Amino acid sequence: MTRLPAGYLSDRYDQRTLMLLCDLLRMCAVGAVALYVLLRPVPIALALAAVIISDTALEVFRPSQNKVIRRIVPPEQLGAALSLNQARAYGADIAAPAAAGLLLSLSPSVPFTVDALTFGASALCVAAAVRSGRTTADTPRSVPASVPNSPQAGGT
């Protein structure tokens, strides 16, 4: 239900900003659940809101992430980068239930706390590693030396 609008947002707005907002929204939503689990029973409205926010943010994050990968990875390495990104996602899907079970055995709030912290870490990585830019045309990878006034040609 949110994939088409998410793709539209990713096409129209800065992907770095969208990725940061999505990670921060997911961190806050899951963090609120962690806090409630620690202190008292989680209201059903909070649980529903957290799921809706998290899933919607994920749908906006994905196309933005794909655009960023295409923007920052050289063309000759793009296939490998996209494959590794897919493998990482599938690996996380496989490992997540076991990790959640292990964390749940420590305390009911621990899986949610760890999840919120991973969204915070992701936001920090995006902030540190990704430059702003909407499309691949906005940030050319290189300028041929034959272009006048380019840094490669000795221009300003």
Side-chain angles (χ1 to χ4, degrees):
M1 191 161 109
T2 58
R3 281 194 184 158
L4 261 97
Y8 176 81
L9 287 173
S10 183
D11 287 341
R12 298 289 180 234
Y13 298 99
D14 179 54
Q15 292 89 28
R16 177 181 185 265
T17 302
L18 289 172
M19 290 171 67
L20 285 170
L21 287 173
C22 289
D23 275 339
L24 294 174
L25 280 170
R26 291 187 289 180
M27 181 183 72
C28 291
V30 176
V33 171
L35 191 59
Y36 263 88
V37 168
L38 185 64
L39 301 176
R40 63 179 82 155
V42 178
I44 191 73
L46 175 61
L48 278 170
V51 168
I52 291 168
I53 289 168
S54 185
D55 283 354
T56 302
L58 177 63
E59 290 301 329
V60 173
F61 188 93
R62 282 180 179 160
S64 298
Q65 178 190 44
N66 285 332
K67 287 181 177 287
V68 165
I69 289 171
R70 292 174 192 282
R71 189 173 73 228
I72 64 176
V73 174
E76 63 275 3
Q77 296 175 350
L78 188 58
L82 292 172
S83 296
L84 285 171
N85 192 47
Q86 282 295 109
R88 176 208 45 84
Y90 290 133
D93 286 347
I94 292 168
L102 177 67
L103 294 173
L104 190 60
S105 71
L106 300 174
S107 169
S109 67
V110 172
F112 299 105
T113 304
V114 169
D115 200 23
L117 291 174
T118 62
F119 290 130
S122 176
L124 289 174
C125 289
V126 169
V130 179
R131 292 187 317 244
S132 289
R134 282 195 318 124
T135 65
T136 54
D138 291 341
T139 55
R141 287 188 179 92
S142 65
V143 177
S146 61
V147 174
N149 295 324
S150 70
Q152 290 88 346
T156 56

